[in-house]
PDB file of all heavy atoms in Angstrom:
ATOM      1  N   HIS A   1      -2.268  -1.489  12.750  1.00 95.00           N
ATOM      2  CA  HIS A   1      -2.713  -0.996  14.058  1.00 95.00           C
ATOM      3  C   HIS A   1      -2.839  -2.143  15.047  1.00 95.00           C
ATOM      4  O   HIS A   1      -2.425  -2.038  16.213  1.00 95.00           O
ATOM      5  CB  HIS A   1      -4.052  -0.280  13.880  1.00 95.00           C
ATOM      6  CG  HIS A   1      -4.566   0.398  15.111  1.00 95.00           C
ATOM      7  ND1 HIS A   1      -5.533  -0.159  15.920  1.00 95.00           N
ATOM      8  CD2 HIS A   1      -4.238   1.590  15.681  1.00 95.00           C
ATOM      9  CE1 HIS A   1      -5.792   0.656  16.925  1.00 95.00           C
ATOM     10  NE2 HIS A   1      -5.035   1.730  16.805  1.00 95.00           N
ATOM     11  N   ARG A   2      -3.392  -3.265  14.613  1.00 94.00           N
ATOM     12  CA  ARG A   2      -3.568  -4.404  15.502  1.00 94.00           C
ATOM     13  C   ARG A   2      -2.247  -5.094  15.806  1.00 94.00           C
ATOM     14  O   ARG A   2      -1.980  -5.476  16.954  1.00 94.00           O
ATOM     15  CB  ARG A   2      -4.565  -5.392  14.893  1.00 94.00           C
ATOM     16  CG  ARG A   2      -5.997  -4.858  14.872  1.00 94.00           C
ATOM     17  CD  ARG A   2      -6.959  -5.830  14.207  1.00 94.00           C
ATOM     18  NE  ARG A   2      -8.346  -5.373  14.329  1.00 94.00           N
ATOM     19  CZ  ARG A   2      -9.385  -5.997  13.789  1.00 94.00           C
ATOM     20  NH1 ARG A   2      -9.199  -7.123  13.088  1.00 94.00           N
ATOM     21  NH2 ARG A   2     -10.617  -5.519  13.938  1.00 94.00           N
ATOM     22  N   LEU A   3      -1.399  -5.261  14.796  1.00 94.00           N
ATOM     23  CA  LEU A   3      -0.118  -5.941  15.006  1.00 94.00           C
ATOM     24  C   LEU A   3       0.815  -5.133  15.909  1.00 94.00           C
ATOM     25  O   LEU A   3       1.645  -5.709  16.625  1.00 94.00           O
ATOM     26  CB  LEU A   3       0.562  -6.199  13.661  1.00 94.00           C
ATOM     27  CG  LEU A   3      -0.108  -7.236  12.751  1.00 94.00           C
ATOM     28  CD1 LEU A   3       0.631  -7.327  11.422  1.00 94.00           C
ATOM     29  CD2 LEU A   3      -0.156  -8.600  13.429  1.00 94.00           C
ATOM     30  N   SER A   4       0.691  -3.820  15.871  1.00 93.00           N
ATOM     31  CA  SER A   4       1.577  -2.952  16.671  1.00 93.00           C
ATOM     32  C   SER A   4       1.026  -2.669  18.060  1.00 93.00           C
ATOM     33  O   SER A   4       1.627  -1.923  18.822  1.00 93.00           O
ATOM     34  CB  SER A   4       1.804  -1.635  15.935  1.00 93.00           C
ATOM     35  OG  SER A   4       0.581  -0.911  15.821  1.00 93.00           O
ATOM     36  N   GLY A   5      -0.134  -3.221  18.372  1.00 90.00           N
ATOM     37  CA  GLY A   5      -0.712  -2.974  19.690  1.00 90.00           C
ATOM     38  C   GLY A   5      -1.419  -1.642  19.812  1.00 90.00           C
ATOM     39  O   GLY A   5      -1.573  -1.126  20.919  1.00 90.00           O
ATOM     40  N   GLY A   6      -1.838  -1.058  18.692  1.00 89.00           N
ATOM     41  CA  GLY A   6      -2.609   0.175  18.743  1.00 89.00           C
ATOM     42  C   GLY A   6      -1.846   1.426  18.377  1.00 89.00           C
ATOM     43  O   GLY A   6      -2.289   2.535  18.698  1.00 89.00           O
ATOM     44  N   SER A   7      -0.708   1.287  17.684  1.00 92.00           N
ATOM     45  CA  SER A   7       0.085   2.453  17.306  1.00 92.00           C
ATOM     46  C   SER A   7      -0.507   3.130  16.078  1.00 92.00           C
ATOM     47  O   SER A   7      -0.661   2.504  15.026  1.00 92.00           O
ATOM     48  CB  SER A   7       1.530   2.040  17.010  1.00 92.00           C
ATOM     49  OG  SER A   7       2.240   3.099  16.392  1.00 92.00           O
ATOM     50  N   MET A   8      -0.823   4.418  16.203  1.00 93.00           N
ATOM     51  CA  MET A   8      -1.333   5.175  15.063  1.00 93.00           C
ATOM     52  C   MET A   8      -0.235   5.429  14.029  1.00 93.00           C
ATOM     53  O   MET A   8      -0.511   5.507  12.829  1.00 93.00           O
ATOM     54  CB  MET A   8      -1.923   6.503  15.523  1.00 93.00           C
ATOM     55  CG  MET A   8      -3.341   6.391  16.023  1.00 93.00           C
ATOM     56  SD  MET A   8      -4.450   5.851  14.708  1.00 93.00           S
ATOM     57  CE  MET A   8      -5.867   5.360  15.681  1.00 93.00           C
ATOM     58  N   LEU A   9       1.010   5.552  14.476  1.00 94.00           N
ATOM     59  CA  LEU A   9       2.110   5.730  13.532  1.00 94.00           C
ATOM     60  C   LEU A   9       2.238   4.494  12.651  1.00 94.00           C
ATOM     61  O   LEU A   9       2.384   4.602  11.425  1.00 94.00           O
ATOM     62  CB  LEU A   9       3.412   5.985  14.283  1.00 94.00           C
ATOM     63  CG  LEU A   9       4.673   6.114  13.419  1.00 94.00           C
ATOM     64  CD1 LEU A   9       4.527   7.273  12.436  1.00 94.00           C
ATOM     65  CD2 LEU A   9       5.914   6.279  14.291  1.00 94.00           C
ATOM     66  N   ALA A  10       2.163   3.320  13.270  1.00 96.00           N
ATOM     67  CA  ALA A  10       2.221   2.082  12.492  1.00 96.00           C
ATOM     68  C   ALA A  10       1.026   1.982  11.550  1.00 96.00           C
ATOM     69  O   ALA A  10       1.157   1.526  10.409  1.00 96.00           O
ATOM     70  CB  ALA A  10       2.258   0.875  13.430  1.00 96.00           C
ATOM     71  N   ALA A  11      -0.149   2.411  12.017  1.00 95.00           N
ATOM     72  CA  ALA A  11      -1.334   2.382  11.163  1.00 95.00           C
ATOM     73  C   ALA A  11      -1.142   3.273   9.942  1.00 95.00           C
ATOM     74  O   ALA A  11      -1.508   2.908   8.823  1.00 95.00           O
ATOM     75  CB  ALA A  11      -2.563   2.810  11.956  1.00 95.00           C
ATOM     76  N   GLY A  12      -0.561   4.451  10.151  1.00 95.00           N
ATOM     77  CA  GLY A  12      -0.314   5.354   9.031  1.00 95.00           C
ATOM     78  C   GLY A  12       0.674   4.776   8.037  1.00 95.00           C
ATOM     79  O   GLY A  12       0.485   4.870   6.816  1.00 95.00           O
ATOM     80  N   ILE A  13       1.738   4.151   8.549  1.00 96.00           N
ATOM     81  CA  ILE A  13       2.727   3.534   7.659  1.00 96.00           C
ATOM     82  C   ILE A  13       2.099   2.371   6.888  1.00 96.00           C
ATOM     83  O   ILE A  13       2.309   2.214   5.685  1.00 96.00           O
ATOM     84  CB  ILE A  13       3.947   3.060   8.474  1.00 96.00           C
ATOM     85  CG1 ILE A  13       4.684   4.270   9.067  1.00 96.00           C
ATOM     86  CG2 ILE A  13       4.891   2.236   7.607  1.00 96.00           C
ATOM     87  CD1 ILE A  13       5.792   3.910  10.028  1.00 96.00           C
ATOM     88  N   GLY A  14       1.318   1.559   7.604  1.00 96.00           N
ATOM     89  CA  GLY A  14       0.650   0.442   6.938  1.00 96.00           C
ATOM     90  C   GLY A  14      -0.320   0.903   5.871  1.00 96.00           C
ATOM     91  O   GLY A  14      -0.414   0.301   4.792  1.00 96.00           O
ATOM     92  N   ALA A  15      -1.058   1.975   6.158  1.00 96.00           N
ATOM     93  CA  ALA A  15      -2.011   2.505   5.183  1.00 96.00           C
ATOM     94  C   ALA A  15      -1.294   3.013   3.939  1.00 96.00           C
ATOM     95  O   ALA A  15      -1.690   2.702   2.804  1.00 96.00           O
ATOM     96  CB  ALA A  15      -2.821   3.630   5.818  1.00 96.00           C
ATOM     97  N   ALA A  16      -0.236   3.807   4.126  1.00 96.00           N
ATOM     98  CA  ALA A  16       0.504   4.358   2.989  1.00 96.00           C
ATOM     99  C   ALA A  16       1.154   3.246   2.175  1.00 96.00           C
ATOM    100  O   ALA A  16       1.139   3.279   0.934  1.00 96.00           O
ATOM    101  CB  ALA A  16       1.555   5.348   3.485  1.00 96.00           C
ATOM    102  N   ALA A  17       1.724   2.243   2.865  1.00 97.00           N
ATOM    103  CA  ALA A  17       2.382   1.140   2.158  1.00 97.00           C
ATOM    104  C   ALA A  17       1.373   0.329   1.354  1.00 97.00           C
ATOM    105  O   ALA A  17       1.633  -0.041   0.197  1.00 97.00           O
ATOM    106  CB  ALA A  17       3.115   0.245   3.163  1.00 97.00           C
ATOM    107  N   ALA A  18       0.217   0.044   1.942  1.00 96.00           N
ATOM    108  CA  ALA A  18      -0.804  -0.737   1.234  1.00 96.00           C
ATOM    109  C   ALA A  18      -1.330   0.023   0.025  1.00 96.00           C
ATOM    110  O   ALA A  18      -1.487  -0.537  -1.071  1.00 96.00           O
ATOM    111  CB  ALA A  18      -1.940  -1.087   2.182  1.00 96.00           C
ATOM    112  N   GLY A  19      -1.626   1.314   0.204  1.00 96.00           N
ATOM    113  CA  GLY A  19      -2.124   2.110  -0.915  1.00 96.00           C
ATOM    114  C   GLY A  19      -1.112   2.210  -2.038  1.00 96.00           C
ATOM    115  O   GLY A  19      -1.457   2.054  -3.219  1.00 96.00           O
ATOM    116  N   ALA A  20       0.164   2.463  -1.692  1.00 96.00           N
ATOM    117  CA  ALA A  20       1.204   2.588  -2.705  1.00 96.00           C
ATOM    118  C   ALA A  20       1.435   1.262  -3.426  1.00 96.00           C
ATOM    119  O   ALA A  20       1.607   1.231  -4.650  1.00 96.00           O
ATOM    120  CB  ALA A  20       2.499   3.076  -2.068  1.00 96.00           C
ATOM    121  N   ALA A  21       1.435   0.155  -2.677  1.00 96.00           N
ATOM    122  CA  ALA A  21       1.623  -1.157  -3.305  1.00 96.00           C
ATOM    123  C   ALA A  21       0.480  -1.471  -4.260  1.00 96.00           C
ATOM    124  O   ALA A  21       0.695  -1.997  -5.364  1.00 96.00           O
ATOM    125  CB  ALA A  21       1.735  -2.241  -2.226  1.00 96.00           C
ATOM    126  N   GLY A  22      -0.759  -1.138  -3.853  1.00 96.00           N
ATOM    127  CA  GLY A  22      -1.910  -1.402  -4.709  1.00 96.00           C
ATOM    128  C   GLY A  22      -1.873  -0.614  -6.003  1.00 96.00           C
ATOM    129  O   GLY A  22      -2.100  -1.167  -7.092  1.00 96.00           O
ATOM    130  N   THR A  23      -1.581   0.679  -5.912  1.00 96.00           N
ATOM    131  CA  THR A  23      -1.562   1.489  -7.131  1.00 96.00           C
ATOM    132  C   THR A  23      -0.370   1.131  -8.015  1.00 96.00           C
ATOM    133  O   THR A  23      -0.474   1.173  -9.244  1.00 96.00           O
ATOM    134  CB  THR A  23      -1.521   2.991  -6.792  1.00 96.00           C
ATOM    135  OG1 THR A  23      -0.448   3.245  -5.879  1.00 96.00           O
ATOM    136  CG2 THR A  23      -2.827   3.444  -6.182  1.00 96.00           C
ATOM    137  N   TRP A  24       0.754   0.775  -7.406  1.00 96.00           N
ATOM    138  CA  TRP A  24       1.915   0.379  -8.207  1.00 96.00           C
ATOM    139  C   TRP A  24       1.613  -0.884  -9.004  1.00 96.00           C
ATOM    140  O   TRP A  24       1.911  -0.967 -10.196  1.00 96.00           O
ATOM    141  CB  TRP A  24       3.131   0.158  -7.317  1.00 96.00           C
ATOM    142  CG  TRP A  24       4.375  -0.183  -8.102  1.00 96.00           C
ATOM    143  CD1 TRP A  24       5.220   0.676  -8.738  1.00 96.00           C
ATOM    144  CD2 TRP A  24       4.898  -1.507  -8.343  1.00 96.00           C
ATOM    145  NE1 TRP A  24       6.236  -0.006  -9.366  1.00 96.00           N
ATOM    146  CE2 TRP A  24       6.059  -1.347  -9.136  1.00 96.00           C
ATOM    147  CE3 TRP A  24       4.495  -2.781  -7.968  1.00 96.00           C
ATOM    148  CZ2 TRP A  24       6.826  -2.433  -9.551  1.00 96.00           C
ATOM    149  CZ3 TRP A  24       5.251  -3.867  -8.389  1.00 96.00           C
ATOM    150  CH2 TRP A  24       6.407  -3.686  -9.172  1.00 96.00           C
ATOM    151  N   LEU A  25       0.996  -1.882  -8.353  1.00 95.00           N
ATOM    152  CA  LEU A  25       0.635  -3.111  -9.058  1.00 95.00           C
ATOM    153  C   LEU A  25      -0.405  -2.825 -10.148  1.00 95.00           C
ATOM    154  O   LEU A  25      -0.331  -3.373 -11.254  1.00 95.00           O
ATOM    155  CB  LEU A  25       0.087  -4.144  -8.073  1.00 95.00           C
ATOM    156  CG  LEU A  25       1.111  -4.843  -7.182  1.00 95.00           C
ATOM    157  CD1 LEU A  25       0.414  -5.710  -6.134  1.00 95.00           C
ATOM    158  CD2 LEU A  25       2.068  -5.687  -8.029  1.00 95.00           C
ATOM    159  N   GLY A  26      -1.387  -1.968  -9.826  1.00 94.00           N
ATOM    160  CA  GLY A  26      -2.376  -1.604 -10.827  1.00 94.00           C
ATOM    161  C   GLY A  26      -1.733  -0.942 -12.035  1.00 94.00           C
ATOM    162  O   GLY A  26      -2.092  -1.219 -13.186  1.00 94.00           O
ATOM    163  N   TRP A  27      -0.785  -0.061 -11.781  1.00 93.00           N
ATOM    164  CA  TRP A  27      -0.074   0.622 -12.864  1.00 93.00           C
ATOM    165  C   TRP A  27       0.723  -0.357 -13.714  1.00 93.00           C
ATOM    166  O   TRP A  27       0.619  -0.374 -14.937  1.00 93.00           O
ATOM    167  CB  TRP A  27       0.824   1.697 -12.283  1.00 93.00           C
ATOM    168  CG  TRP A  27       2.002   2.108 -13.121  1.00 93.00           C
ATOM    169  CD1 TRP A  27       3.313   1.927 -12.835  1.00 93.00           C
ATOM    170  CD2 TRP A  27       1.971   2.793 -14.387  1.00 93.00           C
ATOM    171  NE1 TRP A  27       4.104   2.437 -13.823  1.00 93.00           N
ATOM    172  CE2 TRP A  27       3.305   2.981 -14.793  1.00 93.00           C
ATOM    173  CE3 TRP A  27       0.949   3.252 -15.209  1.00 93.00           C
ATOM    174  CZ2 TRP A  27       3.651   3.598 -15.977  1.00 93.00           C
ATOM    175  CZ3 TRP A  27       1.296   3.884 -16.403  1.00 93.00           C
ATOM    176  CH2 TRP A  27       2.621   4.053 -16.777  1.00 93.00           C
ATOM    177  N   ARG A  28       1.504  -1.220 -13.053  1.00 93.00           N
ATOM    178  CA  ARG A  28       2.373  -2.126 -13.793  1.00 93.00           C
ATOM    179  C   ARG A  28       1.598  -3.190 -14.569  1.00 93.00           C
ATOM    180  O   ARG A  28       1.954  -3.526 -15.697  1.00 93.00           O
ATOM    181  CB  ARG A  28       3.347  -2.815 -12.826  1.00 93.00           C
ATOM    182  CG  ARG A  28       4.312  -1.871 -12.132  1.00 93.00           C
ATOM    183  CD  ARG A  28       5.273  -1.232 -13.093  1.00 93.00           C
ATOM    184  NE  ARG A  28       6.130  -2.203 -13.735  1.00 93.00           N
ATOM    185  CZ  ARG A  28       6.997  -1.913 -14.700  1.00 93.00           C
ATOM    186  NH1 ARG A  28       7.089  -0.668 -15.139  1.00 93.00           N
ATOM    187  NH2 ARG A  28       7.754  -2.854 -15.241  1.00 93.00           N
ATOM    188  N   LEU A  29       0.544  -3.730 -13.964  1.00 93.00           N
ATOM    189  CA  LEU A  29      -0.154  -4.858 -14.567  1.00 93.00           C
ATOM    190  C   LEU A  29      -1.294  -4.445 -15.499  1.00 93.00           C
ATOM    191  O   LEU A  29      -1.602  -5.171 -16.448  1.00 93.00           O
ATOM    192  CB  LEU A  29      -0.712  -5.772 -13.469  1.00 93.00           C
ATOM    193  CG  LEU A  29       0.322  -6.412 -12.532  1.00 93.00           C
ATOM    194  CD1 LEU A  29      -0.374  -7.247 -11.469  1.00 93.00           C
ATOM    195  CD2 LEU A  29       1.325  -7.257 -13.314  1.00 93.00           C
ATOM    196  N   ALA A  30      -1.931  -3.311 -15.227  1.00 92.00           N
ATOM    197  CA  ALA A  30      -3.133  -2.950 -15.986  1.00 92.00           C
ATOM    198  C   ALA A  30      -2.996  -1.668 -16.795  1.00 92.00           C
ATOM    199  O   ALA A  30      -3.376  -1.627 -17.977  1.00 92.00           O
ATOM    200  CB  ALA A  30      -4.322  -2.829 -15.027  1.00 92.00           C
ATOM    201  N   PHE A  31      -2.464  -0.619 -16.194  1.00 91.00           N
ATOM    202  CA  PHE A  31      -2.499   0.685 -16.860  1.00 91.00           C
ATOM    203  C   PHE A  31      -1.299   0.931 -17.770  1.00 91.00           C
ATOM    204  O   PHE A  31      -1.459   1.536 -18.843  1.00 91.00           O
ATOM    205  CB  PHE A  31      -2.592   1.794 -15.817  1.00 91.00           C
ATOM    206  CG  PHE A  31      -3.841   1.729 -14.981  1.00 91.00           C
ATOM    207  CD1 PHE A  31      -3.769   1.534 -13.616  1.00 91.00           C
ATOM    208  CD2 PHE A  31      -5.085   1.827 -15.566  1.00 91.00           C
ATOM    209  CE1 PHE A  31      -4.916   1.456 -12.841  1.00 91.00           C
ATOM    210  CE2 PHE A  31      -6.242   1.754 -14.810  1.00 91.00           C
ATOM    211  CZ  PHE A  31      -6.155   1.562 -13.437  1.00 91.00           C
ATOM    212  N   ALA A  32      -0.121   0.502 -17.376  1.00 88.00           N
ATOM    213  CA  ALA A  32       1.072   0.746 -18.200  1.00 88.00           C
ATOM    214  C   ALA A  32       0.953   0.144 -19.595  1.00 88.00           C
ATOM    215  O   ALA A  32       1.330   0.798 -20.586  1.00 88.00           O
ATOM    216  CB  ALA A  32       2.324   0.223 -17.488  1.00 88.00           C
ATOM    217  N   PRO A  33       0.440  -1.088 -19.749  1.00 88.00           N
ATOM    218  CA  PRO A  33       0.319  -1.628 -21.110  1.00 88.00           C
ATOM    219  C   PRO A  33      -0.656  -0.847 -21.996  1.00 88.00           C
ATOM    220  O   PRO A  33      -0.610  -0.978 -23.221  1.00 88.00           O
ATOM    221  CB  PRO A  33      -0.197  -3.059 -20.868  1.00 88.00           C
ATOM    222  CG  PRO A  33       0.220  -3.392 -19.477  1.00 88.00           C
ATOM    223  CD  PRO A  33       0.121  -2.098 -18.732  1.00 88.00           C
TER     224      PRO A  33
END
C-alpha cells in the first residue's frame, strides 16, 4: 500500500502474496517432513 502510493489493489496483491509465501515456506520447511 505504501510503495504503490495508496493503491488498495496493490495492498490486496501484497497481502495474498505474503500470506501464500509464508504458508508455503511453513509447509515445505516444517509441516511436510
Side-chain angles (χ1 to χ4, degrees):
H1 186 260
R2 290 177 174 177
L3 291 177
S4 65
S7 168
M8 277 297 164
L9 177 60
I13 294 173
T23 52
W24 183 82
L25 285 173
W27 156 246
R28 296 294 297 175
L29 298 178
F31 298 118

